[in-house]
């Protein structure tokens, strides 16, 4: 039996049309200066000059990805980005202008002005007061920024905070004692307070070297502490184990995590002393907190990138995965590294960004991708703040 025919009157049609969502799409404009703030102080854009710390390294790579043709010390070096440098004050400021004849098309904004050395609280305040358009926000400050009305965008969690034991530790101890020390410390760490309190729930506990969204096997790695077994292991070690745990000088998150680890280790009768270090002083520590950012969405490529970085610090063998590595191959490699207790994954972090209301067509970069600032455009007037990209 057919359903009764519905008749829509002119009044009903008017009501339906009124109920349809209004379009807010506007045609992208080619204009404006995008104001960017970073916490790092980039002293040189020359790729041959080493950065002073990890934060400068990251900011330098992001800026370099935007640059097509950059003057440097009497000659030129070339990149692949759609902007070129028109002004640079070491550690303070950089101005990039759109390259009109860029082979992939001119970017929408006319220029990007980057202010360096801005602490997180000042970046958040400038976003709140509409004094800047784009800034990275520490993951642990994301919730506070959103509560203050800042427009917040998050990537998938693709940065791993990990504790690594340096290769220089082993000659000081027998192999058995060294392995027990590493395992005792690893088992003592309670990741829940790190995620819930230090990171304000802007992260995920990590037990393996790849996130669940990438490998699909992260759930097979335990993220739980085992204080009882940690005490049993430490009781077998004479004299009592003492570990100097280094963290990046000036990184407040790493400092808070190192201090939390020291509290957990004390419960397992392992003495851990947190110590801030600069790159030239890293060799004075037994273990180290480092951040590893995924260089690819592919689990095999990401794992190989991590293995190469970790081999330099830990002495682990950086054996290449087989061609077309299977999920089982990837999992077995992860398991072998984690089971050595030379590498202790702690938490996965998203990259968090603050945006002004006039920034349009923003998409958070994926693993291995840089800021897509060539794709955004600027519009006004300012609109109400919102949160984007919450995973």
């Amino acid at each position: 039996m057919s359903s009764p025919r519905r008749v829509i009157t002119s009044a009903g049609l008017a009501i339906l049309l009124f109920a349809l969502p209004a379009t807010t799409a506007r045609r992208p404009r080619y204009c404006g200066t995008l104001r960017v703030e970073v916490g790092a102080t980039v002293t040189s854009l020359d790729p041959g000059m080493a950065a002073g710390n990890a934060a400068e390294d990251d900011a330098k790579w992001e800026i370099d990805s935007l640059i097509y043709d950059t003057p440097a010390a009497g000659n030129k070096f070339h990149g692949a980005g759609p902007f070129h440098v028109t002004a640079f004050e070491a550690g303070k400021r950089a101005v990039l202008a759109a390259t009109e004849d860029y082979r992939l098309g001119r970017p929408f904004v006319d220029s990007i002005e980057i202010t360096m050395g801005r602490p997180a609280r000042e970046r958040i305040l400038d976003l709140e007061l509409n004094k800047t358009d784009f800034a990275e926000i520490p993951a642990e400050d994301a919730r506070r920024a959103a509560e203050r009305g800042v427009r917040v965008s998050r990537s998938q969690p693709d940065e791993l905070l990990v504790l690594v034991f340096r290769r220089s530790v082993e000659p000081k101890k027998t192999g058995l004692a060294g392995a027990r020390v590493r395992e005792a410390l690893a088992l003592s760490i309670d990741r829940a307070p790190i995620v819930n309190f230090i990171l304000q729930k802007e992260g995920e506990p990590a037990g393996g070297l790849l996130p669940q969204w990438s490998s699909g096997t992260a759930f097979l790695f335990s993220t739980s502490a085992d204080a009882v077994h940690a005490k049993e292991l430490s009781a077998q070690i004479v004299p009592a184990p003492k570990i100097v745990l280094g963290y990046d000088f000036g990184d407040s998150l790493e400092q808070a995590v190192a201090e939390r680890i020291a509290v957990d280790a004390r419960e397992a009768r392992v003495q851990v002393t947190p110590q801030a270090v600069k790159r030239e002083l890293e060799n004075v520590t037994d273990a180290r907190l480092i951040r590893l950012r995924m260089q690819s969405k592919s689990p095999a490529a990401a794992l190989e990138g991590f293995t190469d970085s970790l081999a330099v610090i830990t002495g682990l063998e950086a054996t290449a995965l087989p061609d077309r590595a299977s999920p089982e191959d990837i999992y077995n490699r992860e398991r072998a590294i984690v089971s050595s207790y030379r590498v202790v994954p702690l938490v996965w972090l998203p990259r968090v960004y603050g945006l002004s209301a006039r920034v349009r067509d923003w998409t958070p970069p994926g693993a291995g991708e840089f800021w897509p600032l060539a794709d955004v455009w600027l519009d006004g007037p300012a609109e109400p703040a919102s949160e984007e990209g919450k995973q």
Side-chain angles (χ1 to χ4, degrees):
M1 185 176 181
S2 61
S3 60
R5 188 175 181 182
R6 293 194 177 112
V7 178
I8 301 178
T9 64
S10 59
L13 180 60
I15 292 173
L16 286 174
L17 291 175
F18 181 78
L20 290 175
T23 179
T24 58
R26 294 183 177 89
R27 185 175 182 180
R29 301 188 206 174
Y30 289 86
C31 68
T33 296
L34 181 71
R35 302 163 299 176
V36 174
E37 291 186 3
V38 298
T41 54
V42 180
T43 55
S44 173
L45 296 179
D46 186 343
M49 184 172 291
N53 54 47
E56 182 181 354
D57 244 344
D58 290 343
K60 184 174 179 178
W61 279 110
E62 294 287 2
I63 296 171
D64 283 348
S65 74
L66 296 166
I67 297 170
Y68 174 69
D69 186 16
T70 308
N75 56 13
K76 292 185 177 183
F77 57 87
H78 299 273
F83 296 89
H84 55 278
V85 177
T86 59
F88 181 72
E89 297 177 57
K92 297 180 179 179
R93 177 174 173 267
V95 179
L96 316 180
T99 301
E100 296 291 337
D101 59 350
Y102 181 60
R103 58 188 177 83
L104 297 180
R106 184 197 188 279
F108 289 110
V109 297
D110 292 332
S111 60
I112 299 176
E113 184 170 349
I114 303 170
T115 304
M116 306 173 194
R118 298 289 286 169
R121 63 181 181 277
E122 293 180 11
R123 299 198 300 271
I124 293 172
L125 180 61
D126 287 347
L127 287 163
E128 186 181 355
L129 298 177
N130 198 32
K131 291 183 177 181
T132 193
D133 296 306
F134 174 85
E136 284 194 316
I137 298 175
E140 62 271 24
D141 292 330
R143 176 176 292 188
R144 179 168 61 92
E147 289 173 349
R148 292 175 61 172
V150 174
R151 180 183 171 197
V152 174
S153 173
R154 300 162 174 85
S155 73
Q156 290 180 307
D158 63 0
E159 183 177 63
L160 179 63
L161 180 62
V162 61
L163 184 154
V164 296
F165 282 88
R166 301 181 56 82
R167 72 169 76 199
S168 58
V169 173
E170 291 312 305
K172 302 176 185 177
K173 307 177 177 72
T174 66
L176 181 59
R180 285 176 178 168
V181 169
R182 298 194 305 266
E183 186 176 0
L185 178 58
L187 293 176
S188 73
I189 299 172
D190 188 354
R191 295 165 177 79
I194 297 175
V195 172
N196 294 332
F197 300 111
I198 298 176
L199 285 171
Q200 293 293 294
K201 299 184 179 180
E202 290 291 340
E204 300 175 1
L209 293 172
L210 294 170
Q212 180 67 21
W213 66 262
S214 174
S215 68
T217 59
F219 70 94
L220 297 173
F221 294 88
S222 174
T223 59
S224 300
D226 188 346
V228 173
H229 189 35
K231 287 180 182 179
E232 292 173 351
L233 289 170
S234 63
Q236 300 171 18
I237 307 168
V238 179
K242 298 180 180 180
I243 298 170
V244 177
L245 174 59
Y247 60 88
D248 191 18
F249 180 84
D251 190 317
S252 59
L253 172 61
E254 288 191 16
Q255 179 180 359
V257 172
E259 291 171 353
R260 178 68 223 185
I261 289 172
V263 171
D264 291 339
R266 191 179 308 124
E267 293 296 317
R269 300 187 181 92
V270 177
Q271 183 178 328
V272 171
T273 304
Q275 180 173 320
V277 294
K278 295 184 179 180
R279 288 198 169 185
E280 62 270 21
L281 299 175
E282 285 186 348
N283 288 329
V284 302
T285 63
D286 302 308
R288 182 76 164 85
L289 291 181
I290 62 171
R291 299 178 187 236
L292 298 172
R293 184 174 292 183
M294 292 177 67
Q295 299 302 310
S296 173
K297 296 177 183 179
S298 161
L303 183 58
E304 286 210 333
F306 285 170
T307 303
D308 290 342
S309 299
L310 293 168
V312 176
I313 304 171
T314 65
L316 285 169
E317 188 176 353
T319 307
L321 285 166
D323 293 339
R324 298 181 181 179
S326 68
E328 185 178 4
D329 293 329
I330 296 169
Y331 169 78
N332 288 338
R333 176 61 55 80
E334 269 191 281
R335 177 59 68 186
I337 294 172
V338 172
S339 296
S340 73
Y341 294 104
R342 293 176 184 272
V343 177
V344 185
L346 300 173
V347 290
W348 282 104
L349 306 170
R351 285 175 283 168
V352 182
Y353 307 93
L355 305 164
S356 73
R358 68 178 190 148
V359 175
R360 300 299 184 93
D361 286 351
W362 163 262
T363 301
E369 297 175 350
F370 296 102
W371 300 335
L373 300 185
D375 300 327
V376 304
W377 56 284
L378 302 175
D379 193 19
E383 296 179 351
S386 64
E387 287 196 65
E388 299 175 359
K390 180 80 174 179
Q391 297 299 318

